[in-house]
Amino acid sequence: MFFLLRMAFWLALILLILPIGVTSDGGRQIGAWQAFTAVQAAINDARGFCQRQPDACAVGGEMLDHMAEKAQASAKWVYDAIGAHKADAGTTPAAPQPSAAKEGSASHDLTPQDLAPAWSLEPQRGAPAPGMPLPPRRPA
């Protein structure tokens, strides 16, 4: 729908700028100013539509209100969906704290290198060059 309105606007703008010539044996040339005044007259005639047809104008107003409510509900749905997606993507699970770890779990043995993602593009300090295996770890 919005595409059609945009196309009508650009087509009207192009037709307004281009000279419309009807020159065949005494025809007259219509200039841009004459076309502009004709469009103004058509708009003024359209403004009086609600006075001539009040029922159609009332139904059209209700339909526009309904469409505005649907657009607001759709925008809210999209905003909530994007907001929830961003909230999920923006939060990372926190590293387990040693005090919160259970007695039998091995999560307190993790080092910062263990918690770093394996797909990082930046080499970490003290880390071997890419492609080289890590040396075996010493027992704690």
Side-chain angles (χ1 to χ4, degrees):
M1 175 72 178
F2 190 67
F3 172 76
L4 294 175
L5 291 174
R6 239 188 311 176
M7 288 300 296
F9 170 76
W10 286 112
L11 184 62
L13 187 65
I14 289 171
L15 290 177
L16 182 68
I17 292 172
L18 292 176
I20 301 172
V22 184
T23 56
S24 62
D25 296 344
R28 71 178 213 186
Q29 184 114 5
I30 299 173
W33 184 253
Q34 291 171 334
F36 181 70
T37 56
V39 168
Q40 264 187 331
I43 290 173
N44 287 336
D45 184 50
R47 286 183 185 159
F49 177 75
C50 286
Q51 294 171 352
R52 293 189 308 268
Q53 300 287 335
D55 294 334
C57 197
V59 170
E62 289 176 15
M63 193 166 76
L64 283 176
D65 288 341
H66 179 69
M67 289 174 59
E69 288 174 4
K70 285 182 96 172
Q72 286 176 346
S74 299
K76 183 182 181 306
W77 179 78
V78 168
Y79 179 76
D80 289 343
I82 290 174
H85 179 65
K86 281 188 177 181
D88 290 344
T91 59
T92 56
Q97 300 296 326
S99 62
K102 294 182 181 178
E103 290 284 325
S105 72
S107 65
H108 62 279
D109 292 338
L110 296 176
T111 64
Q113 283 182 337
D114 294 334
L115 295 175
W119 45 264
S120 177
L121 296 177
E122 294 181 14
Q124 297 175 357
R125 287 189 186 177
M132 294 185 69
L134 291 173
R137 292 187 51 191
R138 292 184 284 164

